[in-house]
Amino acid sequence: MEKRMKPGQRVVVALRKMIASGELADGERIAEIPTAERLGVSRMPVRTALRTLEQEGLVARIGARGYAARGPTISQVTDAIEVRGVLEGLAARIVASSPPAPQLAQKLKDCLAQGEALFAKGYLEEADLERFYTYNLAFHDLLVDASNNSAIAYALSRNNHLPFGSAAALALDWDDLPATYAHLSAAHRDHVAVCDAILSGDAEEAEQLMRRHARAPLANGRLTHAPML
């Protein structure tokens, strides 16, 4: 089943970036009504977003219904991203270790075609966020599912509850769409390279490329602000 952005996902992305960048300070209370007004939405998407961010460890409950920001440390984010890279790298190695079934090969190609269509026009619009979210998760989930390793899936589900430990943990800067286009199109090129390694049966290359893909926010210095992928 295709995963689409949940209600409030755009608010999740905005708040995630604000917390990770320090715009919302560690311990700062996040009130629903002022936040909704600030982001131009109703209270419900904010409430949904705060519940999601609580599961990611980026907000904590205060009192009966309130929330406060929990700014992650660099080491917390680094640890979560490193673990995801190891797990997804192992999944890619497993998938590449055997000739892919025609059905899987077609699924990979169809998935990458979504990315090609998204970036073909050479720029991003705000509406493209949902398309990238859907495409990105589809690619990562496809690799994990194809590995047929329930331990990897379980470990990733636990790691997803750490700050920026999930492939879905986007923190995009829509005030700088050209830079966001560069970051996300680079992620798509990573997907293509991983897929090429899998289809050619190069298990070592597939693993290393997937680990490098997960670590991209660490390698290019963007960890000093909000990780983008």
Side-chain angles (χ1 to χ4, degrees), residues 17 132 164 169-173 179-180 183-184 217 222 226-229:
K17 174 181 176 292
F132 181 81
F164 294 97
L170 302 176
L172 307 177
D173 186 358
T180 298
H183 296 323
L184 299 189
R222 282 185 284 124
M228 304 291 282
L229 302 177

Side-chain angles (χ1 to χ4, degrees), residues 12-20 53 56 58 164 168-170:
V12 170
V13 171
L15 289 176
R16 189 186 288 125
K17 174 181 176 292
M18 293 163 69
I19 293 169
L53 293 174
E56 295 180 11
L58 289 175
F164 294 97
L170 302 176

Side-chain angles (χ1 to χ4, degrees), residues 7-8 16 21 43 80 91 98 115-116 122 135 139 163 169 188-189 191 194 216 224:
R16 189 186 288 125
S21 66
R43 292 178 64 181
S98 302
E116 290 294 333
Y135 155 64
F139 179 81
H188 168 62
R189 292 194 298 272
H191 293 172
V194 171
T224 57

Side-chain angles (χ1 to χ4, degrees), residues 166-216:
S166 169
L170 302 176
L172 307 177
D173 186 358
W174 289 108
D175 293 328
D176 189 354
L177 287 177
T180 298
Y181 175 89
H183 296 323
L184 299 189
S185 60
H188 168 62
R189 292 194 298 272
D190 287 349
H191 293 172
V192 173
V194 171
C195 184
D196 287 344
I198 288 174
L199 295 179
S200 65
D202 192 336
E204 177 68 23
E205 179 75 357
E207 179 175 20
Q208 293 307 314
L209 287 172
M210 200 64 199
R211 293 182 67 166
R212 194 178 309 149
H213 172 58
R215 295 186 77 259

Side-chain angles (χ1 to χ4, degrees), residues 12-156:
V12 170
V13 171
L15 289 176
R16 189 186 288 125
K17 174 181 176 292
M18 293 163 69
I19 293 169
S21 66
E23 185 178 348
L24 283 172
D26 185 38
E28 182 175 345
R29 186 173 184 273
I30 306 175
E32 287 184 8
I33 294 177
T35 301
E37 293 174 349
R38 182 178 185 178
L39 298 177
V41 297
S42 66
R43 292 178 64 181
M44 186 55 67
V46 174
R47 187 173 302 168
T48 301
L50 289 171
R51 290 170 181 165
T52 297
L53 293 174
E54 182 183 19
Q55 294 176 352
E56 295 180 11
L58 289 175
V59 302
R61 284 185 179 272
I62 52 172
R65 298 180 62 184
Y67 290 90
R70 292 182 61 187
T73 65
I74 291 178
S75 62
Q76 287 174 324
V77 177
T78 299
D79 290 348
I81 289 176
E82 291 278 14
V83 169
R84 177 160 64 86
V86 170
L87 292 169
E88 292 185 334
L90 177 57
R93 171 181 279 276
I94 292 172
V95 176
S97 294
S98 302
Q103 184 178 14
L104 173 60
Q106 189 59 52
K107 285 183 178 180
L108 286 169
K109 293 175 182 177
D110 290 345
C111 184
L112 292 178
Q114 296 179 40
E116 290 294 333
L118 177 61
F119 296 106
K121 63 180 179 290
Y123 61 89
L124 291 177
E125 300 171 346
E126 288 197 23
D128 291 326
L129 172 59
E130 180 169 355
R131 294 176 63 197
F132 181 81
Y133 176 91
T134 301
Y135 155 64
N136 186 57
L137 268 189
F139 179 81
H140 286 259
D141 287 349
L142 181 56
L143 285 187
V144 175
D145 291 344
S147 74
N148 291 315
N149 189 308
S150 59
I152 293 176
Y154 176 76
L156 280 170

